[in-house]
Amino acid sequence: MHEILDAFAVAAPSRTGVPACSVILRTGDRFDQVASSDPAAAACDQLEVDDGAGPCLEAIRQLSSVVVDDLDVDRRWPRWNRRARVHGYRSFVALPGYVDEVTTVALNAYSRLPAAWTRDEVIRIDLYVQELATTLREQGT
């Protein structure tokens, strides 16, 4: 499974146009930062997992997208926000993919530009994370 997650994370920038991404996997009540195209994105997501709060975990829990257009304005998750801004990120999108009743995956995209996500880009990222969820489901994760 980790080979699949790594391959999807590494390919995400070229397949979706995201500058940097990280992947969080929920299995039951456990969340893990499992793959990344960028070490800074992985560090941001790891803080979310450690704190048990942040936009990606919210996206997974709610099974809906979370878009942060400008981290300089949004203050919903202060520790995660500070970490993301320290790494130079200004906007973020998290999109979940349902694998099965105990497993959900989310692709978390980071950009150094504010309001970086057009409607078409969000759709492209969503299609990609659904492809990942389908692949994990077919592998019997």
Side-chain angles (χ1 to χ4, degrees), residues 21-98:
C21 78
S22 184
V23 177
I24 290 181
L25 183 71
R26 177 196 60 86
T27 308
D29 292 331
R30 181 185 170 119
F31 292 91
D32 293 294
Q33 189 282 321
V34 292
S36 181
S37 71
D38 180 88
C44 293
D45 279 9
Q46 187 59 54
L47 179 70
E48 270 191 86
V49 169
D50 293 345
D51 282 357
C56 177
L57 301 188
E58 182 174 314
I60 289 173
R61 289 178 179 129
Q62 301 298 318
L63 282 179
S64 64
S65 64
V66 173
V67 179
V68 179
D69 282 327
D70 192 344
L71 289 166
D72 287 350
V73 176
D74 192 301
R75 298 286 186 245
R76 288 177 281 180
W77 307 279
R79 282 179 35 88
W80 170 83
N81 184 300
R82 278 192 302 277
R83 170 78 51 95
R85 289 176 34 234
V86 162
H87 287 293
Y89 296 127
R90 288 286 305 278
S91 60
F92 171 87
V93 64
L95 294 159
Y98 178 84

